[in-house]
Every structure is written in C-alpha cells, then in structure tokens.
Amino acid sequence: MTVHTAPLLCDGRQWRADGWVRVTDGRVTDWGTGTAPPGDEPVERHGVLLPGLVDACARITGYFNRTVEGDALAPHRACLALCTEAGVTVVLGVAGHTEPYLALAAAPASGDPSLLWTGPVLDGPPAATTATRLVHDAHSARRAVAAVAADGAHLVRTGSSLAPGPFADVVAAARERGMRVLHQPGRTGATEAAKAGAHLVQDLPRCLLPPAAAPRGAAEAVRAFADPAVRRAATERLRTLAGEGTALVPLLQSWRRSALLDEAVAEPRLDRVVPMAPFHQYLLDMRGPGLVFGRKYAREHFGFEHLKGPARREFDDGWAFLLDVLATAHTSGVPLVAGSDALGLSLVPGYGLYDELAWWEQAGLPRRTVLAAATGGTLRALTGAAPPWASGLLALPCAPDTLPGLAALPKAHRLLAPAITPSALTTAPAGTQEARP
C-alpha cells in the first residue's frame, strides 16, 4: 500500500490542486484532495497524477505481407506493448476479426492495456473488408449485432456503405443490448447517424462532407475544404452534430499521414512498425534521394498524391479549416474522443495518439483540456461511465504545461496502477467515485 501525492491532479474530468491517491496491490483504493488521511503506508511525491490515456480507435494487427512464423499473435502483442510503453492504458480495437482479440484477452501479457474491441464492421454491400457482417434489414441487423455481442464485442462499429435504413436498424438492435455504436460516415452521413442514435462518429473530414461525396484519397478530401461552399455546408453539419450531443473521433493525424508522403516517410519511429507491418520498409527506403524515385510506387500502391504548387496550397488551406472546425466543435460542446487509427499507415501504436493530440493543441485546445478528454472523457464516450482511475494511474515529474510538447509525455510518465479489466470498465470500483476532501 502506497500513497502518492502531487500538487496537481486530474481525475479524468477536472484538474485539482494538491491531490493524493492510495494504491493497494496495484489498484487505486482511495483518493482525494488536500492532505492524505494519516497512516503508516509509505508516501511518494510526484509532480502530477492523472489517469492513463485511452485510444478509442486502433488496429491491433500486423504482418500484412509476410508469412506467419511462430506466434501468429506476435505483431498484435507488439502493438499492445508499444501502447503500454507510451502510457496508453485502454485500447479499443475497431473493425477487425474477433478471433485475435479473444485470444489476446484469454492470455493477456503482464502490463498490457485493457483491451476492448468492436469485432467485424457491420456494413452494407459491397463488403470493403473480409471482417464484415453484411446488414440488409432489421432481421440481419439483429443477427449481426447478436453475433458481435456473443463474441465479446464492447461496441458496435458500422461502416461507410451502410444505408440510413439498415443503420437505424443496427442502432435499435444495439440499444436493446445496451451497446454503443461507433459509425464511419459514408452513405449514412454523420448528422444522419447522430439523429438516428449513434453515440460516436469518426473521421472529421468524412463527418463534414456530404454522404454523396466519396473522396478518392485523403489529400483530395482535405483539399475539398479550400472551397468556401464546402466550408459553409460543413459548418452547418457541425451545428447539427453539436445539437445531437454525439461524440467525435477526429483522427486528424491518420488523414494527414495518408495524404503527405514526406511526413509519412519522416516518422521518427517508423523502424519500430516494420516488424509488425513489413510494408513500412518501403517508406524507410524512400528516405533521402529514395523519396524522389519512390513517389510513383507510393501513388500506385498507397494512394498518395504528389502535392505541389496550387494543390499543396489547397491542402494547407483545407487543413487550417479542419483545425478551426475542431476548435469550434469543442467550444460547441461536442465531446472529443482520442483515437490514433494505429497501426495504420505510418502510425505507431501508442505514440500515434500523441501525434493526434498535438493537432488538438495546434487547434487551440489547452493541454490540460486535451489530457482530460483523452483520459476520462474518451472512456466515458466509449463505455457510458468513467469512474476516476478506471484507466489506471500515471505520474509525471512536472506539470504537463511545462513539457516542451505532448510528445515528451511518454518518456516522462510512470505507470503507478493499470486500468481495470474490460468487464469492470462500466462499473465504478469501490472507493473511487468521489474525491475525499
């Protein structure tokens, strides 16, 4: 049993001065503000205490182009290990086959994040991935939701090809089972999904474009927002989204990495994802002069445009608008949910979340607001409840505002208590509901 104290504490909702947290057998058992109750246990002093970070959109996968040798779950475990290293203590795996998640949950490695998953995406035809359960009507919606629920899914993930009618059927079936719905806009737009009862929508550019607009690539989608008419329509959609109270998973860094080849190639930890997703070796080989010769390959196989001149100016203009929209969404009361989309293209598990949150700061959100949203705020959006310290307990040696950037937090943090188990995430642990004054 140890009492940890700090002059600054975040409980996942708000920041408090002079806080303390008692950890017993690796679990938070009590906490409060002011002076800790007297006791014989040792006391450790830190600069800051805060919950572990939550990644609400991840791909726990790997070996896209390599024959599996040895442990087929090795790349999945490597993804989770990187998350732990970065201080990400709860991860939601989205839109993948259920079997790897069941196997990982059955034999978790010591220190792994608390793992949630959605199972296969529920979508309309044509299927965009093999990890899809097709939905045509109310009957197939109930059957698909029942299947992912039986496989242990914690949320329902719906895809971009699902039409409004079947989407509403999925929401109704999920509601009967007490499951939340995370939607990727497409045929059913973000505002339609919000009105139909979606709890979360992902991909800010998709949320702001009309359902009929299907950009061929990430760069084209961002460039679209250089058009004043598109901006006006996007602003109106944002107002509707704010009125419905639906949470937003922006995934800005994912879109940027899929649009800008030079930034994807320059990822400082790119070599760490090669063992999990070997195709990243092609990006590593493009560094230096290889970037010039690799652009054609990247365009043909990864979908990158060669942005230069007016096209690059349009991209930068559209990107600036997206940052403005993110800030407006926050001030309008839209709950912002942290997600990385890692292991996606040049997105490092765990660390990719900090790249995403850095754009939130660039948009003007204060660092403390960002960290509260990425801990308790994100967990509340995923589970409907976020008791303090459900995502674990981290310590920092100094106030987060004094760090040179959010990217410095992974090296600065120390894990004092892990997240509680997935089955308990919606149940508040005893003794952690209210701060003891």
Side-chain angles (χ1 to χ4, degrees):
M1 181 184 298
T2 305
V3 171
H4 300 273
T5 67
L8 186 61
L9 176 148
C10 175
D11 64 0
R13 291 179 179 267
Q14 59 181 311
W15 291 84
R16 307 165 184 262
D18 298 319
W20 57 270
V21 179
R22 177 175 284 113
V23 176
T24 305
D25 296 330
R27 297 295 179 189
V28 174
T29 54
D30 202 1
W31 70 285
T33 56
T35 303
D40 297 330
E41 62 266 70
V43 176
E44 292 189 18
R45 293 172 175 81
H46 311 274
V48 176
L49 296 171
L50 73 161
L53 275 77
V54 183
D55 190 337
C57 187
R59 307 182 194 186
I60 309 301
T61 184
Y63 290 174
F64 299 163
N65 56 345
R66 175 182 294 176
T67 301
V68 175
E69 296 179 0
D71 183 7
L73 294 177
H76 306 74
R77 297 190 192 282
C79 286
L80 295 177
L82 279 170
C83 290
T84 299
E85 179 183 311
V88 177
T89 56
V90 178
V91 175
L92 173 70
V94 299
H97 291 289
T98 297
E99 287 74 14
Y101 295 107
L102 289 172
L104 291 167
S110 176
D112 272 357
S114 187
L115 182 60
L116 311 176
W117 65 87
T118 67
V121 60
L122 307 192
D123 210 354
T129 171
T130 56
T132 300
R133 295 186 185 276
L134 292 177
V135 174
H136 307 276
D137 51 25
H139 174 70
S140 57
R142 287 193 297 272
R143 185 174 56 195
V145 171
V148 295
D151 283 341
H154 299 84
L155 284 88
V156 173
R157 166 66 154 71
T158 48
S160 58
S161 294
L162 196 59
F167 174 80
D169 293 330
V170 169
V171 172
R175 186 181 295 119
E176 292 175 0
R177 293 180 175 273
M179 300 180 72
R180 297 193 153 215
V181 176
L182 166 63
H183 180 59
Q184 182 182 54
R187 291 183 65 188
T188 301
T191 55
E192 289 177 293
K195 291 178 180 178
H199 298 87
L200 307 96
V201 289
Q202 70 172 70
D203 297 301
L204 181 59
R206 284 181 176 271
C207 291
L208 300 179
L209 291 171
R216 288 188 294 271
E220 182 181 356
V222 175
R223 288 172 55 196
F225 294 103
D227 184 339
V230 174
R231 293 186 178 198
R232 286 192 293 271
T235 302
E236 187 59 37
R237 290 189 182 88
L238 179 63
R239 291 195 190 98
T240 302
L241 200 62
E244 296 295 331
T246 305
L248 170 65
V249 192
L251 298 181
L252 286 176
Q253 176 69 355
S254 174
W255 283 77
R256 191 173 179 92
R257 280 290 163 86
S258 297
L260 300 182
L261 178 61
D262 53 342
E263 293 188 9
V265 169
E267 162 57 49
R269 294 182 177 86
L270 191 59
D271 60 317
R272 301 197 65 184
V273 298
V274 171
M276 292 173 278
F279 68 83
H280 284 91
Q281 183 63 49
Y282 296 116
L283 298 182
L284 273 176
D285 293 342
M286 290 180 198
R287 288 183 173 173
L291 182 60
V292 175
F293 298 103
R295 287 192 182 278
K296 180 178 179 181
Y297 180 92
R299 183 173 61 252
E300 292 177 354
H301 296 279
F302 293 117
F304 284 102
E305 296 180 39
H306 189 186
L307 296 174
K308 60 180 180 178
R312 180 55 193 254
R313 288 193 291 272
E314 283 185 351
F315 180 90
D316 292 340
D317 195 18
W319 186 258
F321 174 75
L322 289 174
L323 294 183
D324 288 343
V325 167
L326 186 70
T328 301
H330 170 65
T331 57
S332 301
V334 176
L336 297 182
V337 176
S340 68
D341 202 31
L343 174 68
L345 185 65
S346 196
L347 296 168
V348 183
Y351 293 93
L353 188 65
Y354 293 96
D355 295 330
E356 170 72 10
L357 299 179
W359 287 115
W360 295 20
E361 276 198 305
Q362 188 71 25
L365 276 66
R367 184 168 296 176
R368 295 187 187 185
T369 299
V370 170
L371 289 174
T375 54
T378 295
L379 195 57
R380 282 193 299 278
L382 293 182
T383 66
W389 323 114
S391 64
L393 174 65
L394 301 182
L396 299 178
C398 58
D401 316 285
T402 64
L403 295 174
L406 281 170
L409 196 149
K411 285 188 176 180
H413 88 277
R414 176 184 165 198
L415 180 64
L416 303 178
I420 61 178
T421 60
S423 60
L425 278 173
T426 55
T427 303
T432 65
Q433 284 302 293
E434 299 295 336
R436 185 185 297 190

